[in-house]
Amino acid sequence: MTATEAVTTRRRPPSRLATGRIPKEPAHRSRDPRRRRPSIVLAIVMTLMVLYCVVPLFWLIVNASKSRDDLYNSFALWFTPRFSLFDNIVQVFTYNNGEFLRWFANTLLYVAVGAGGATLLAALGGYGLAKYRFPGRRLVFAVVLGALAIPGSVLAVPQFLMFSKLGLTNTPFSVIIPSLVSAFGLYLVWVYAQEAIPDELIEAARLDGAGELRIFFSISLRQLAPALITVLMFAVVATWNNYFLPLIMLSDSQWYPLTVGLSQWASASSSIGTVPIPHLVITGSLLTVLPIAAVFLYLQRYWQAGLTTGSVK
């Protein structure tokens, strides 16, 4: 060590760590920067959105427990001393030879075949577009994106004319066949399968002698489970709430779903010379909402996981 370095070393002051005099950090620095003050405007907006969703459901539950006379003589957002929910349910199931049960069975048929078939076709089509290379693949991609931008109501009239030529109107096929096509489901499975299923896994299965169908149903289908649950949930909700397509396709009340059947009850009860049944319409609407709400709540965790994973990938 030279003389200059020795002098510099002797003149260097001791560190604050050595002397134990470490100043405390300011209080505002110790706080988590991610924690921010709550926004009053955001809280008000979220409260209004919650009320917008909850108040109609609460109104439906309250008024489904009232008799026909109490509907007109009581406050709309609170219960009456006479609880008539169970009597209304019995009347709904027995009114007009129990046609509500027939409409409920029709809705289950449309959902099981339509939504289930749409999910299966979306899985097959999306997987094929993601893992196979063939001429015209980009064209198919453009057609699928274009189909996402077309509202279903725009296609209702052309579909009616086409099914009328084929003699399929006023049959369950006129409601089921259009429900089998889901452009959103196809696109979601396509995007998800590109990253969720490694090409090396498919090649390894082929080297082991597995066929393409066995690879899809035994290996790929399990990897696509989150995306398929998401597609199934959207298809079930869309088919269950489908109103416009059955309205123009079906003329026989024997094949009505719940949405069209309850609408016919509401129209008939307001006609001249008929007995009004608003309490049955409200109770039937409540019974229509409960199954789809239960299914949605049951599959909510799978639906959220599938949607989030598909969007990230």
Side-chain angles (χ1 to χ4, degrees):
M1 180 182 295
T2 62
T4 304
E5 292 176 351
V7 172
T8 305
T9 304
R10 288 196 299 269
R11 291 181 180 179
R12 181 180 298 170
S15 64
R16 291 179 295 177
L17 181 61
T19 58
R21 294 176 296 179
I22 302 177
K24 296 182 179 181
E25 294 184 358
H28 65 276
R29 292 185 180 180
S30 61
R31 296 177 181 176
D32 189 354
R34 293 175 297 180
R35 296 182 61 183
R36 299 179 180 179
R37 297 178 59 184
S39 174
I40 299 178
V41 177
L42 181 60
I44 294 175
V45 172
M46 293 301 297
T47 302
L48 293 177
M49 293 180 64
V50 170
L51 292 176
Y52 177 79
C53 298
V54 173
V55 170
L57 181 60
F58 179 74
W59 179 91
L60 189 64
I61 296 174
V62 168
N63 290 274
S65 65
K66 300 178 181 179
S67 62
R68 183 177 61 183
D69 297 333
D70 292 337
L71 282 175
Y72 302 104
N73 301 323
S74 61
F75 181 57
L77 291 177
W78 198 245
F79 299 92
T80 57
R82 183 171 56 179
F83 190 78
S84 304
L85 176 61
F86 299 107
D87 295 336
N88 293 339
I89 292 176
V90 172
Q91 294 182 39
V92 166
F93 287 137
T94 57
Y95 182 78
N96 202 5
N97 297 324
E99 62 182 356
F100 182 86
L101 288 174
R102 185 167 60 249
W103 297 339
F104 188 81
N106 294 339
T107 304
L108 291 180
L109 173 65
Y110 300 150
V111 169
V113 181
T119 305
L120 179 60
L121 291 178
L124 292 170
Y127 172 78
L129 291 171
K131 295 303 173 181
Y132 295 97
R133 300 295 182 266
F134 53 89
R137 184 169 173 269
R138 293 182 178 272
L139 178 61
V140 174
F141 181 76
V143 171
V144 172
L145 290 181
L148 291 175
I150 301 177
S153 58
V154 176
L155 302 176
V157 175
Q159 288 175 353
F160 173 78
L161 296 177
M162 181 177 62
F163 282 105
S164 178
K165 292 291 184 180
L166 297 175
L168 295 178
T169 55
N170 200 29
T171 63
F173 298 102
S174 60
V175 179
I176 292 175
I177 293 177
S179 302
L180 295 175
V181 180
S182 175
F184 172 76
L186 177 63
Y187 178 74
L188 181 61
V189 175
W190 184 353
V191 174
Y192 188 89
Q194 286 180 337
E195 298 294 336
I197 305 176
D199 295 336
E200 295 78 8
L201 182 63
I202 300 176
E203 292 297 332
R206 290 171 179 168
L207 291 177
D208 290 339
E212 298 299 328
L213 289 179
R214 184 178 179 183
I215 293 175
F216 174 76
F217 287 104
S218 300
I219 300 175
S220 302
L221 201 60
R222 298 180 181 180
Q223 303 294 327
L224 294 174
L228 295 183
I229 292 175
T230 305
V231 174
L232 178 63
M233 193 67 252
F234 276 103
V236 167
V237 173
T239 308
W240 188 277
N241 296 328
N242 195 4
Y243 171 75
F244 187 64
L245 181 64
L247 180 65
I248 66 174
M249 289 291 185
L250 304 175
S251 59
D252 188 358
S253 62
Q254 180 183 358
W255 299 113
Y256 281 172
L258 286 172
T259 52
V260 180
L262 290 175
S263 176
Q264 295 298 319
W265 273 9
S267 301
S269 62
S270 61
S271 303
I272 300 177
T274 58
V275 178
I277 51 172
H279 59 301
L280 300 186
V281 175
I282 295 174
T283 306
S285 301
L286 178 62
L287 295 176
T288 303
V289 170
L290 291 179
I292 190 64
V295 172
F296 189 87
L297 292 176
Y298 178 74
L299 296 177
Q300 184 180 13
R301 54 179 179 175
Y302 303 105
W303 176 73
Q304 290 177 345
L307 183 61
T308 305
T309 307
S311 62
V312 172
K313 290 183 178 297

